[in-house]
Amino acid sequence: MATAQLRRTEWFNSHLHFALVTVHNNSMKNSPPLTAKGRGATLNMAGRFESRDAEWFDDGWGEEEAIERAAKRPKTVIHIEQARSIISHNESPDLRFTQSINPYRGCEHGCIYCYARPTHSYLNLSPGMDFETQLFAKRNAAELLRKELGKRGYVVSAINLGANTDPYQPIEKTERITRSLLEVLSECNHPLTIVTKNALICRDIDLLAPLAAKNLVNVFVSISQLDNELTRILEPRASTPATRLRAVRELADAGIPTSVLVAPIIPFINDEFVERVLEASAEAGALCGSYTVIRLPYELKDLFKDWLATHFPDRAEHVMNRIRDMKGGRENVSEFGERMRGTGIFADLIRQRFRKTCARLNLSATRLPALDLTQFKPPRADTAQGQLF
């Protein structure tokens, strides 16, 4: 096989990359742009642990046209992951939970600001397009959860679904891993919280409503703004803002305590929507409001800056300067307390706007009442003998 043909074949057979190349920062300028319809990232840059490095080339066989076609509609690929454990633990004072479960790695929503994108580097995949197209489903999640909850000495604490990637991203419609986890938690009367920006959560109201009646669940719906055109490039495969507001209403009508997360707030991109999101959410039945400002860890900084340059070239530098103002002159901070809310004049202004609006709307700006930890009962052993007791 000729060298050019071999190169073409290797690229089209690769399940790791949709744009011919994965490039490091110093060679990004040589790669073709990725502005794929229905996707968020404009780059498929290499992760910081990537073992391979390549850059785009044209050998005269028409790869440029092939790249353009492929980049328009990169396909979602689902990999099956046999996880070895399912409950993650954290000690962060910024978070309202110490236990969490992520049914999926990667997220098809494609939100450009997602702080979980850099985790794909641990899989030798790109935090860019790979994060939203190369997805890993933990199909043994419910089985593992049953085992971990049944361990002697297990200490009950609310489990959060959606700490890293969205438990109701589009593939949940067919995979149903999140629902299988809810079934186990319901059986055990285990308290939980859910964070999502997808109205698919309403499918599981039949499980969530009985949990809510026992004070065992709180739901947080993320709504960053109310503009459909902005949503198409900011959160391309998430539910529309209006659909998320409908989900808030359906959940609230079912008696499920529901909060709204105005997250993340990005200066000069969506900060103008803070009051309107809170007003619409309160009208829909939300009980509580919270927010975070944008975080840009690791490779996310370069992904976000390229997205800005692609979609908002007129204000890209202005946005980054304001982000640095909120981060003490840096593009990202990791210190507890500062990383979620920021510091400085602009961060203080957001804080005041948020609190005053919540007070006016009678929305709690703190948190929902604590969940009941006393009703937990370990799952029955998943054996014929166990079903006798």
Side-chain angles (χ1 to χ4, degrees):
M1 183 180 292
T3 300
Q5 289 177 306
L6 179 60
R7 287 173 177 168
R8 264 199 323 280
T9 302
E10 287 177 345
W11 175 64
F12 281 110
N13 288 339
S14 171
H15 71 282
L16 298 179
H17 306 286
F18 287 104
L20 178 62
V21 294
T22 297
V23 293
H24 289 303
N25 293 346
N26 60 3
S27 60
M28 280 183 193
K29 61 182 180 296
N30 297 322
S31 65
L34 282 176
T35 52
K37 183 177 181 180
R39 301 295 183 179
T42 53
L43 290 174
N44 206 39
M45 62 186 295
R48 60 195 182 283
F49 306 119
E50 189 94 29
S51 60
R52 295 180 295 175
D53 186 15
E55 59 183 80
W56 181 84
F57 72 97
D58 179 9
D59 64 1
W61 288 87
E63 277 83 356
E64 186 171 5
E65 182 180 350
I67 292 168
E68 184 179 350
R69 289 198 307 270
K72 287 180 180 177
R73 291 189 181 274
K75 302 296 183 183
T76 298
V77 179
I78 302 175
H79 306 275
I80 309 308
E81 178 179 350
Q82 290 298 310
R84 290 179 290 182
S85 63
I86 199 61
I87 300 179
S88 300
H89 301 269
N90 79 83
E91 298 179 355
S92 170
D94 292 331
L95 303 177
R96 300 178 181 180
F97 54 86
T98 57
Q99 298 193 121
S100 63
I101 296 177
N102 292 293
Y104 305 101
R105 293 181 193 259
C107 186
E108 198 174 6
H109 282 158
C111 306
I112 189 58
Y113 53 73
C114 183
Y115 58 80
R117 282 183 178 273
T119 62
H120 244 45
S121 296
Y122 293 104
L123 303 174
N124 207 24
L125 291 169
S126 171
M129 193 68 72
D130 284 349
F131 178 79
E132 50 195 280
T133 57
Q134 299 294 323
L135 309 180
F136 293 77
K138 303 175 185 178
R139 289 186 178 170
N140 63 336
E143 175 188 350
L144 287 175
L145 177 60
R146 183 177 294 277
K147 289 179 180 178
E148 294 187 28
L149 295 182
K151 288 180 179 178
R152 194 171 289 185
Y154 173 76
V155 178
V156 182
S157 175
I159 292 177
N160 176 265
L161 303 179
N164 210 38
T165 56
D166 202 306
Y168 285 101
Q169 59 180 285
I171 61 171
E172 166 62 18
K173 188 173 183 179
T174 54
E175 290 292 327
R176 299 175 70 86
I177 297 174
T178 298
R179 182 170 178 90
S180 69
L181 292 168
L182 288 179
E183 290 170 345
V184 175
L185 294 169
S186 297
E187 175 190 329
C188 300
N189 283 337
H190 196 293
L192 71 142
T193 58
I194 300 174
V195 180
T196 185
K197 55 171 61 76
N198 200 307
L200 180 59
I201 188 175
C202 293
R203 177 201 65 185
D204 294 337
I205 284 178
D206 62 315
L207 294 174
L208 296 173
L211 285 167
K214 301 175 184 178
N215 189 29
L216 293 175
V217 64
N218 288 329
V219 171
F220 300 83
V221 178
S222 176
I223 306 176
S224 64
Q225 38 76 37
L226 299 177
D227 183 88
N228 283 343
E229 292 304 316
L230 179 56
T231 299
R232 285 191 180 97
I233 58 174
L234 190 66
E235 308 160 336
R237 294 201 174 190
S239 299
T240 64
T243 304
R244 284 180 242 180
L245 287 169
R246 270 201 311 273
V248 171
R249 185 176 299 280
E250 288 185 36
L251 292 165
D253 288 347
I256 301 164
T258 305
S259 300
V260 63
L261 294 176
V262 187
I265 295 175
I266 308 171
F268 306 118
I269 298 296
N270 70 338
D271 57 295
E272 66 179 274
F273 291 94
V274 170
E275 289 81 3
R276 280 181 277 173
V277 169
L278 290 172
E279 290 166 356
S281 300
E283 184 179 351
L287 301 177
C288 180
S290 186
Y291 76 95
T292 63
V293 299
I294 188 168
R295 295 165 53 193
L296 297 174
Y298 301 110
E299 297 95 333
L300 186 56
K301 291 188 287 292
D302 292 317
L303 285 167
F304 181 72
K305 284 189 280 189
D306 192 81
W307 178 88
L308 276 176
T310 300
H311 296 289
F312 298 99
D314 59 322
R315 70 184 88 164
E317 191 56 36
H318 201 29
V319 172
M320 290 308 302
N321 284 338
R322 186 52 57 86
I323 289 175
R324 294 183 192 103
D325 289 343
M326 293 193 295
K327 307 289 184 180
R330 293 175 286 173
E331 292 177 344
N332 188 62
V333 296
S334 56
E335 290 81 5
F336 293 142
E338 294 184 23
R339 59 179 185 159
M340 308 291 276
R341 299 295 176 90
T343 58
I345 296 175
F346 190 75
D348 287 340
L349 178 60
I350 291 175
R351 188 177 297 109
Q352 292 176 35
R353 290 171 57 194
F354 196 88
R355 288 178 176 174
K356 288 181 178 180
T357 304
C358 284
R360 172 169 58 85
L361 299 170
N362 200 28
L363 281 173
S364 170
T366 53
R367 61 185 63 188
L368 294 169
L371 299 174
D372 189 351
L373 306 181
T374 66
Q375 302 180 53
F376 173 73
K377 53 184 181 181
R380 292 179 296 176
D382 194 17
T383 64
Q385 183 177 2
Q387 303 305 317
L388 298 176
F389 301 95

